[in-house]
Amino acid sequence: MSGSEIEQLVQLLAKLPGLGPRSARRAALHLLKRRENLLEPLARAIAAAAEKVRACSVCGNLDTRDPCLVCVDPRRDAETICVVENVADLWAIERTASFRGRYHVLGGVLSALDGIGPDDLNVAGLVRRIGEGGIREVILAMGATVDGQTTAHYVTDRLQGAGVTISRLAHGVPVGGELDYLDDGTLTAALKARRPF
Amino acid sequence: MSGSEIEQLVQLLAKLPGLGPRSARRAALHLLKRRENLLEPLARAIAAAAEKVRACSVCGNLDTRDPCLVCVDPRRDAETICVVENVADLWAIERTASFRGRYHVLGGVLSALDGIGPDDLNVAGLVRRIGEGGIREVILAMGATVDGQTTAHYVTDRLQGAGVTISRLAHGVPVGGELDYLDDGTLTAALKARRPF
């Protein structure tokens, strides 16, 4: 492959999650073949994102304004904060359109293996927001993993005595899921949390 | 997901081969989190590629110069042309470092299904290059697919009487391949093309 510009493009594309060296080459070729429809618009989109997108100083969401649109929207319930691991999870919940409160992005989960401790997460920001008053409920929406649940317990400890209701997402059978394919942990959790029909 | 700049970035990333809507969102977040290490360098790399990379007017390779580095390299054998379907295949052969001739990129293969006819491929350019003289051998390096082989036959027909040797890649057992997992067609081809040991 000749042309250091192409080489450079391939190497940077290969750093994206989901693209390896081979698929990065395919992506680079795809871009170079579609100069006007894809390469130039993508260059503009990336430059615009680099220039304008910032982390919200209140909740940690990514947006072109600070505070972000979720934090300033008066139609949203300011009394409920959903605590998520990262912005991807925030987007996932937004896509369901079933939550109308606000968010707090921790920026990760506690992980002894990855060396992520309490100081690496934005828990202090959450404590401060709740200290300012006006929050009624905190929903812990961490993943149902060991690290996610450890983090949920840690956040709960830090919020003791803050006078807010703390809840977590329900664990159970995923919608559309067949029992036969479920792991024992999920099935046990679903049984324990059974509800009247 | 708020912020039309982010939305725009995700939509363009989702057009890359190998990235769907979900992985495009992950890639966009990955970029936004690594502003200085990845987002800004990628913006520069894409802009540089958009500005500088062109298709070689001789062989169709992509490079920052025209004719491309392969076409002007005096150490390469100018008498042998390897005909490939696309630039990705050219790069694949270059990576083996086992071919020191030049190339000709057809820009695809004949395909009734996809409506790609002879006029959509750069066969005329190949005929012209051979007509200019100095070419001894043409290696047809199309894939061992029905469309690839149809295209190889078509190119062979077009080069009848041009006074060049026409060869094709050997078909057979891939290096490291186990017979048990091979399809019948490959095994038949490998048997037919058996060589003294």
Side-chain angles (χ1 to χ4, degrees), chain B:
Chain B
M1 168 181 7
S2 49
S4 64
E5 275 80 4
I6 304 180
E7 191 91 43
Q8 177 77 359
L9 179 61
V10 169
Q11 277 174 13
L12 287 166
L13 285 173
K15 289 185 185 171
L16 293 179
L19 289 182
R22 186 175 291 260
S23 45
R25 279 195 300 267
R26 275 180 59 216
L29 274 174
H30 191 87
L31 282 169
L32 288 166
K33 266 193 233 158
R34 289 155 189 81
R35 185 179 302 271
E36 273 148 52
N37 296 331
L38 192 51
L39 183 64
E40 289 166 1
L42 185 60
R44 284 194 296 271
I46 290 182
E51 191 195 323
K52 295 187 189 161
V53 177
R54 293 282 175 272
C56 171
S57 57
V58 177
C59 75
N61 187 16
L62 290 169
D63 201 347
T64 46
R65 67 200 84 191
D66 181 16
C68 74
L69 206 59
V70 174
C71 282
V72 298
D73 189 340
R75 291 165 306 177
R76 297 190 74 118
D77 170 16
E79 294 187 321
T80 310
I81 291 184
C82 180
V83 181
V84 290
E85 293 176 19
N86 51 48
V87 177
D89 292 354
L90 187 160
W91 289 357
I93 295 174
E94 277 298 277
R95 281 198 300 279
T96 68
S98 58
F99 176 68
R100 298 299 296 164
R102 294 188 177 158
Y103 292 94
H104 191 85
V105 179
L106 287 180
V109 282
L110 297 175
S111 168
L113 216 60
D114 298 334
I116 297 173
D119 295 341
D120 300 313
L121 305 181
N122 186 16
V123 182
L126 178 64
V127 171
R128 191 165 53 238
R129 282 176 77 180
I130 290 166
E132 287 163 2
I135 312 290
R136 204 173 33 78
E137 181 179 1
V138 171
I139 303 171
L140 302 176
M142 272 68 97
T145 58
V146 171
D147 285 347
Q149 294 306 302
T150 306
T151 310
H153 281 293
Y154 174 77
V155 173
T156 308
D157 281 350
R158 288 284 299 269
L159 298 183
Q160 273 320 323
V164 291
T165 307
I166 299 175
S167 57
R168 68 159 175 80
L169 296 187
H171 294 171
V173 184
V175 175
E178 294 190 66
L179 293 200
D180 199 20
Y181 291 93
L182 273 184
D183 63 296
D184 297 352
T186 304
L187 215 46
T188 307
L191 264 174
K192 272 193 194 157
R194 67 189 178 279
R195 303 176 55 172
F197 191 64

Side-chain angles (χ1 to χ4, degrees), chain A residues 136-159:
Chain A
R136 204 172 33 80
E137 181 179 1
V138 171
I139 303 171
L140 301 177
M142 273 68 98
T145 60
V146 172
D147 286 346
Q149 294 308 301
T150 306
T151 309
H153 282 292
Y154 173 76
V155 173
T156 308
D157 280 351
R158 288 285 298 270
L159 298 184

Side-chain angles (χ1 to χ4, degrees), chain A residues 53-121:
Chain A
V53 177
R54 293 284 175 271
C56 171
S57 57
V58 177
C59 75
N61 186 16
L62 290 169
D63 201 347
T64 46
R65 68 200 83 190
D66 182 16
C68 74
L69 205 60
V70 174
C71 282
V72 298
D73 189 341
R75 290 166 304 174
R76 298 190 75 119
D77 170 17
E79 295 188 321
T80 309
I81 291 185
C82 179
V83 180
V84 290
E85 294 177 19
N86 51 49
V87 177
D89 292 354
L90 188 160
W91 289 357
I93 295 175
E94 278 297 277
R95 281 198 299 282
T96 69
S98 58
F99 176 69
R100 299 300 296 165
R102 293 185 178 160
Y103 291 95
H104 192 83
V105 179
L106 286 180
V109 282
L110 296 176
S111 166
L113 216 61
D114 297 334
I116 297 173
D119 294 341
D120 300 313
L121 305 182

